[in-house]
Amino acid sequence: MRVTIAGAGAVGKSIAAELIENGHEVMLIERDLAEVAPEAVPQAEWVHADACEVASLEDAQVQNCDVVIAATGDDKVNLVVSLLAKTEFAVRRVVARVNNPRNEWLFTESWGVDVAVSTPRMLAAMVEEAVSVGDLVRLLTLRQGKANLVEVTLPDDTALAGRPVRDVPLPADAALVAILRGGRVIVPQSDDPLEAGDEMLFVAGEGVEEEIHSVLTSGDPGGRELI
């Protein structure tokens, strides 16, 4: 893919280096001349310009990009870049960095954002996931909040131990996508038995997380299948 990254700070350069290593073509756009350092990511194309200006994006031919990543340390800038990329240049995929979690509600498709990445929220979720057993932890928001990746670790005294996946009910807008067990990633099948300590990953529609938690903590075997 051809990827444009607005913001060549530590985050932008790290993303660029990772994408280049994975075989993608990357262009970095940076307004601050002091941050323009082609030697830091020599394989990338560097542009000294303001990504909030339509003329700058036109000169950089952003319309030819598959993905735009708004990765600056300023949420206002990231929102403007996202909106311009989507509405003026019809970029297929726009990813935006959220610096302040209180601004996360703004990072929606109304502002041209396809995927919002909040580092503080992700770090908090990782901490919760590491210490929470039996609680539901939201790891990632998908599709502008219409779905979430959530995790539940079955406690040692779970009533679901030994029961097959097909016996555990879930709401219609939820799917079990993986089970993490002892360093293994298990793609769940209907006959697979559950075990205490299983880390269960679900993609769930908005508003059904509590129902998932209730099902897994009650151990009720009736109802719909997980998959």
Side-chain angles (χ1 to χ4, degrees):
M1 296 184 298
R2 178 168 174 79
V3 182
T4 292
I5 301 173
V11 173
K13 288 196 287 283
S14 296
I15 296 171
E18 188 74 20
L19 289 172
I20 289 169
E21 186 175 341
N22 291 333
H24 301 295
E25 183 181 348
V26 175
M27 175 172 57
L28 281 159
I29 301 178
E30 175 55 52
R31 179 178 58 184
D32 185 356
L33 185 59
E35 294 288 349
V36 177
E39 70 280 0
V41 190
Q43 302 94 330
E45 178 184 352
W46 287 75
V47 176
H48 177 219
D50 187 347
C52 290
E53 295 182 356
V54 173
S56 297
L57 298 178
E58 287 178 345
D59 291 342
Q61 298 184 339
V62 168
Q63 68 273 11
N64 296 327
C65 292
D66 301 293
V67 181
V68 165
I69 302 174
T72 78
D74 188 323
D75 285 343
K76 297 187 294 297
V77 171
N78 291 343
L79 285 171
V80 171
V81 170
S82 298
L83 186 63
L84 291 177
K86 183 66 70 173
T87 60
E88 297 294 328
F89 299 94
V91 175
R92 183 170 55 88
R93 192 76 164 166
V94 177
V95 179
R97 173 189 177 188
V98 184
N99 296 277
N100 187 337
R102 289 179 296 180
N103 297 329
E104 191 170 5
W105 65 277
L106 287 166
F107 285 74
T108 67
E109 58 186 3
S110 297
W111 278 91
V113 178
D114 295 306
V115 179
V117 181
S118 172
T119 302
R121 181 178 294 277
M122 291 180 67
L123 288 173
M126 293 301 104
V127 171
E128 289 182 337
E129 191 273 335
V131 300
S132 301
V133 174
D135 294 331
L136 183 144
V137 178
R138 183 179 294 176
L139 300 178
L140 187 65
T141 298
L142 309 169
R143 302 296 299 172
Q144 297 87 44
K146 295 182 176 62
N148 300 299
L149 178 67
V150 299
E151 185 267 354
V152 179
T153 299
L154 296 180
D156 292 339
D157 60 352
T158 178
L160 296 175
R163 289 182 179 169
V165 165
R166 66 171 178 272
D167 285 353
V168 185
L170 275 185
D173 293 335
L176 176 64
V177 294
I179 298 173
L180 309 182
R181 179 185 297 159
R184 297 173 54 212
V185 178
I186 300 170
V187 179
Q189 304 298 319
S190 293
D191 294 331
D192 290 341
L194 298 172
E195 296 182 7
D198 280 352
E199 296 182 48
M200 305 178 69
L201 299 178
F202 301 89
V203 173
E206 56 182 347
V208 301
E209 289 96 337
E210 288 302 320
E211 190 172 347
I212 295 172
H213 183 255
S214 177
V215 165
L216 296 179
T217 53
S218 69
D220 181 3
R224 292 178 290 272
E225 296 183 7
L226 288 172
I227 57 175

